[in-house]
Amino acid sequence: MEPIKIVARYANGKIIKGYTFDFFPNKDRFHITLANKTSDKPIEVIVNQLKAVFVVRDFIGNPHYVERKSYREGEIPYGTPLEVTFQDGEVMVGSCTSFDLNRQGFFIFPVDPTSNNQRVFVVCSAIKRIRQLHLKAGK
């Protein structure tokens, strides 16, 4: 199994960047080997303390990049289009193949295909508001 490159963002604002081999959406914990300390022992992460787990292309990203937050006319997302507002005010737009707010969390695929985030595991306890988007059909 290949390691997954992730950024774990805690509800309190703390951020950990690294690699995981054992993240599963139905498990209550997983481990991260820090990106800058690959020889250290992995850190245990408790999912319900997090805001989200971001599966990223790289750890740096582009600080000047402005991520698209809406679907273009005629664009058909795979799954249900959603707008998620976190407790800290951050808004994420993307699609989800299934979500159940009674579960620990769910994956959302960002609307912007060039985003540094490939997919994001949203922790339900960190959500302030969620709404399904209704898109206009394209021509």
Side-chain angles (χ1 to χ4, degrees):
M1 177 186 237
E2 289 287 316
I4 300 169
K5 191 180 297 187
I6 64 168
V7 174
R9 291 186 56 192
Y10 284 80
N12 68 7
K14 178 180 172 181
I15 296 174
I16 297 177
K17 299 177 181 183
Y19 301 90
T20 186
F21 287 95
D22 65 348
F23 175 80
F24 296 97
N26 58 338
K27 300 289 184 182
D28 68 343
R29 64 194 67 220
F30 65 100
H31 298 85
I32 296 177
T33 300
L34 298 178
N36 57 353
K37 298 180 181 181
T38 54
S39 62
D40 287 358
K41 184 178 176 181
I43 296 170
E44 184 176 68
V45 176
I46 308 300
V47 174
N48 69 6
Q49 296 175 351
L50 298 176
K51 167 185 171 175
V53 177
F54 298 80
V55 179
V56 297
R57 298 180 201 288
D58 66 62
F59 293 122
I60 299 167
N62 178 352
H64 303 291
Y65 183 75
V66 178
E67 190 170 311
R68 181 163 51 105
K69 298 282 187 186
S70 63
Y71 287 97
R72 293 185 175 136
E73 187 174 338
E75 205 170 25
I76 309 292
Y78 181 72
T80 304
L82 300 173
E83 178 186 82
V84 175
T85 303
F86 290 96
Q87 295 287 346
D88 65 4
E90 180 181 1
V91 176
M92 181 174 292
V93 178
S95 63
C96 178
T97 55
S98 72
F99 69 95
D100 179 349
L101 296 178
N102 293 317
R103 289 188 169 176
Q104 169 172 260
F106 57 90
F107 278 104
I108 189 169
F109 297 86
V111 66
D112 189 340
T114 58
S115 168
N116 189 45
N117 299 317
Q118 295 178 303
R119 63 188 179 277
V120 179
F121 183 76
V122 174
V123 178
C124 288
S125 61
I127 296 173
K128 180 178 184 177
R129 188 180 86 176
I130 187 168
R131 69 181 183 99
Q132 184 174 343
L133 301 175
H134 301 283
L135 306 178
K136 295 178 184 175
K139 295 178 182 176

